[in-house]
Amino acid sequence: MDLLIPDKVHDESRQGEALMLEQTVGKYNGRKLYIESYGCAMNFSDSEIVASILLDRGFETTKDYNNADVVFINTCSIRENAEQRVRNRLKEFTVAKVKNPGMIVGVLGCMAERLKSKFLEEEKLVDVVVGPDAYRDLPNLIDQVDDGQRAVNVLLSREETYADINPVRLNSNGINAFVSIMRGCDNMCSFCVVPFTRGRERSRDPQSIIKECVALHNQGYREVTLLGQNVDSYKWKAETTDAESVSISDIKGTNFAQLLEMVALISPELRVRFSTSHPKDITDEVLYTMAKYDNICKYIHLPVQSGNSRVLDIMNRTYDREWYMDRVNAIRRIIPGCAISTDVIAGFCTETEEEHQETLSMMDFVQYDYAYMFMYSERPGTLAAKRYADDIPDTVKSRRLKEIVIKQQQHSHLRLQDQVGKIQKVLIEGFSKKSNLDYCGRSDHNAMVVFPVQESYKPGQYVNVLVDRCTTATLIGRVI
Ligand code: SAH
Ligand code: SF4
Ligand code: F3S
């Protein structure tokens, strides 16, 4: 890898620095990194930052952990079963480590942050524990392990956005990419561990975001998804002391609607998506910006969590049923036909049967295109764990979840059927999972569309597909 050799190498005065750099690169040269990610898109995006930091030092990536020198697992803490999955996977890595004792096993991400050095006590074969804001320290932490120690860095930061790091795209199809626009979360929803694992909310410099998106577009990428736990609270307040370079956006700062517009203007050929929108913060300005640009996908992920105002209140979501419905109405008014998806939690503390029914009736009201549905899982340290008893029996939680899932299946199917007979603009992502005779790609509404391959079209191109029929999760059609 020559990624780290800067242009300064040829600057005489910097020769010492260049030499040091080469020595550092040399030290890691050829060592193989395997990295596996769990949890939300932010974690997958972070793994690309981690890979970038290590590849810059001479590491190479491998897809087989059995022949890796360093095995990282980027973890999620959102629900208990997410953590369990990681523990199970670690057992498999442990087997590989017994065969190859030189292997370094590292735990990154939210579970690392939540458990800190406790992880080292609980998992004897883990060598390094690194929280989401400490990835720049990885080379140093690996050095410590090389010196025979076990290493931990779980410091959270108020500033770190990794803005200057150009992520290495892992497992990429060269067409879609995630771009992180902010980190952390200040919302303190009572069920949620994220504010503790990811720290305070901070926005990334818009210029660095645009630069990354332009570079992606120039490399042939055709879709970027802007990521944050609550993109609507994106806020960049530029600090500038040089009066001559002050522009309007420096004075006013940049909000999410403005950032979205800046990204949309890069090229009409570059599609823009974003996630996640918070119902309390999504503004009409964002909706009008979406409506204005054809290349901003007409799809909003707007987690409701519950359809009942009392439950929303104790969840500390800071909106109620009426507010949420008003936001949905605004979406329908400003962006007719916009797809909406959601997250729902079944069986939150003290939820009554009637309150659960209100979640179902909210689903009827919105008719979501898609939903991620979960049973409430108490997380240590959260407000809900401190304040409320996790008092809904598992049998009741799972029955309520089942009712939610069945309703959503009906709505998802209705939404897909709605598209039959219509033409969808699809960005071709590659061959379909089932056959090399078919291409697949997503519609503006984020629905998966499958259609027969035609010689004249390649992945990365847009095609108009007439939808002939649908399965439970996919639209099937042909290019016209
Ligand atoms: N920032 C996003 C959500 C991130 S977590 C938002 O505010 O909507 C993704 C989803 O996991 C949440 O929307 C919620 O539905 C679910 N979730 C979070 N904590 C949970 C818990 N303790 N039990 C069950 N589901 C949970
Ligand atoms: Fe968690 Fe709420 Fe922040 Fe989403 S907005 S990450 S649910 S605290
Ligand atoms: Fe999980 Fe952390 Fe994301 S807890 S959902 S990986 S922010």
Side-chain angles (χ1 to χ4, degrees):
M1 289 298 300
D2 57 356
L3 284 173
L4 228 194
I5 310 299
D7 4 344
K8 294 170 197 137
V9 165
H10 303 292
D11 173 350
E12 298 293 308
S13 63
R14 302 270 193 162
Q15 263 182 2
E17 188 182 313
L19 190 64
M20 264 177 61
L21 205 56
E22 274 163 5
Q23 279 168 354
T24 333
V25 170
K27 193 164 80 171
Y28 302 108
N29 256 359
R31 279 174 90 173
K32 292 199 173 57
L33 165 72
Y34 173 86
I35 183 160
E36 192 169 288
S37 314
Y38 291 78
C40 63
M42 302 282 303
N43 246 19
F44 285 75
S45 166
D46 278 5
S47 292
E48 297 183 334
I49 287 167
V50 168
S52 172
I53 290 170
L54 293 183
L55 264 61
D56 275 359
R57 303 297 170 114
F59 272 84
E60 291 166 10
T61 55
T62 170
K63 288 189 189 307
D64 177 8
Y65 67 83
N66 283 300
N67 67 35
D69 300 296
V70 173
V71 173
F72 281 159
I73 180 161
N74 196 355
T75 61
C76 174
S77 277
I78 202 81
R79 285 167 293 275
E80 199 181 337
N81 59 9
E83 291 203 351
Q84 201 47 53
R85 209 168 307 138
V86 168
R87 299 268 187 186
N88 294 342
R89 191 64 173 144
L90 271 175
K91 286 200 186 87
E92 292 170 30
F93 294 155
T94 305
V95 174
K97 185 165 171 153
V98 170
K99 282 190 218 145
N100 172 9
M103 177 190 279
I104 294 177
V105 176
V107 177
L108 317 181
C110 291
M111 235 176 132
E113 191 63 50
R114 193 176 85 70
L115 293 162
K116 305 185 169 55
S117 55
K118 232 171 98 188
F119 221 114
L120 294 183
E121 291 155 30
E122 291 172 9
E123 304 281 347
K124 295 289 176 227
L125 280 169
V126 169
D127 303 290
V128 51
V129 173
V130 193
D133 285 346
Y135 297 145
R136 285 184 202 267
D137 197 28
L138 276 168
N140 175 39
L141 295 166
I142 290 173
D143 286 350
Q144 287 181 35
V145 178
D146 285 344
D147 289 344
Q149 302 160 42
R150 298 170 90 196
V152 181
N153 187 342
V154 287
L155 285 176
L156 286 172
S157 158
R158 280 173 177 258
E159 286 94 32
E160 181 63 272
T161 59
Y162 301 110
D164 55 314
I165 294 182
N166 191 18
V168 172
R169 307 289 158 183
L170 296 169
N171 305 316
S172 169
N173 59 6
I175 294 162
N176 327 87
F178 291 132
V179 176
S180 171
I181 64 163
M182 58 206 294
R183 300 180 70 81
C185 183
D186 283 350
N187 283 316
M188 297 306 260
C189 299
S190 65
F191 50 79
C192 185
V193 80
V194 172
F196 305 98
T197 62
R198 295 255 160 191
R200 300 302 299 266
E201 181 184 292
R202 66 222 96 122
S203 297
R204 176 179 168 191
D205 175 353
Q207 295 309 329
S208 75
I209 298 171
I210 300 304
K211 199 171 144 203
E212 185 175 335
C213 294
V214 167
L216 284 165
H217 178 254
N218 291 343
Q219 287 161 35
Y221 283 82
R222 288 295 170 262
E223 186 178 285
V224 289
T225 304
L226 308 180
L227 295 179
Q229 292 298 350
N230 176 2
V231 290
D232 303 293
S233 65
Y234 176 87
K235 186 99 202 120
W236 179 259
K237 214 163 170 17
E239 281 170 33
T240 170
T241 46
D242 177 0
E244 279 178 27
S245 70
V246 174
S247 70
I248 297 294
S249 78
D250 287 333
I251 297 163
K252 288 189 183 159
T254 309
N255 67 15
F256 181 59
Q258 290 158 333
L259 179 73
L260 197 55
E261 179 159 45
M262 287 157 75
V263 179
L265 284 169
I266 291 173
S267 160
E269 290 291 296
L270 184 70
R271 263 188 178 178
V272 190
R273 297 185 188 276
F274 55 87
S275 189
T276 300
S277 301
H278 197 301
K280 83 176 160 72
D281 291 321
I282 189 167
T283 59
D284 286 359
E285 189 189 357
V286 167
L287 302 180
Y288 282 116
T289 305
M290 288 178 73
K292 186 169 164 194
Y293 294 95
D294 281 346
N295 59 329
I296 304 181
C297 291
K298 306 299 179 269
Y299 167 70
I300 299 177
H301 184 57
L302 195 69
V304 66
Q305 316 295 2
S306 163
N308 171 264
S309 294
R310 188 194 69 88
V311 175
L312 286 169
D313 183 39
I314 61 172
M315 282 178 163
N316 205 22
R317 287 290 286 180
T318 69
Y319 55 86
D320 60 13
R321 182 179 170 91
E322 285 63 41
W323 175 277
Y324 187 91
M325 289 167 117
D326 171 75
R327 293 291 76 209
V328 170
N329 286 334
I331 295 169
R332 301 271 185 252
R333 186 178 72 245
I334 298 168
I335 320 168
C338 184
I340 306 179
S341 63
T342 198
D343 293 345
V344 186
I345 298 178
F348 185 64
C349 314
T350 73
E351 182 189 67
T352 66
E353 216 45 51
E354 292 71 36
E355 289 166 341
H356 162 63
Q357 288 301 325
E358 283 209 76
T359 296
L360 294 174
S361 73
M362 178 65 95
M363 295 175 74
D364 283 330
F365 171 75
V366 186
Q367 300 213 341
Y368 294 106
D369 291 70
Y370 195 79
Y372 300 87
M373 301 153 283
F374 315 103
M375 278 201 281
Y376 172 59
S377 163
E378 186 177 84
R379 307 310 294 131
T382 54
L383 289 178
K386 287 182 192 152
R387 284 190 195 153
Y388 315 112
D390 180 12
D391 57 353
I392 308 299
D394 277 356
T395 48
V396 177
K397 279 186 191 169
S398 79
R399 194 254 306 146
R400 287 182 189 168
L401 179 64
K402 202 167 154 200
E403 289 172 12
I404 289 167
V405 169
I406 289 172
K407 189 170 280 298
Q408 184 52 43
Q409 282 169 344
Q410 291 162 356
H411 290 160
S412 293
H413 197 59
L414 277 178
R415 289 289 180 202
L416 289 179
Q417 272 174 336
D418 233 24
Q419 304 305 321
V420 174
K422 293 185 184 150
I423 296 165
Q424 300 287 325
K425 186 175 176 188
V426 177
L427 173 61
I428 309 177
E429 292 181 11
F431 292 117
S432 88
K433 268 194 207 137
K434 289 192 187 148
S435 158
N436 278 3
L437 298 175
D438 289 328
Y439 275 145
C440 72
R442 277 173 305 148
S443 71
D444 204 21
H445 285 177
N446 211 32
M448 189 49 83
V449 187
V450 172
F451 50 95
V453 169
Q454 281 187 13
E455 279 292 309
S456 43
Y457 301 113
K458 298 266 166 308
Q461 285 184 334
Y462 293 95
V463 281
N464 286 322
V465 176
L466 175 65
V467 179
D468 293 319
R469 62 195 173 89
C470 67
T471 67
T472 47
T474 312
L475 299 174
I476 297 161
R478 60 204 140 95
V479 177
I480 55 156

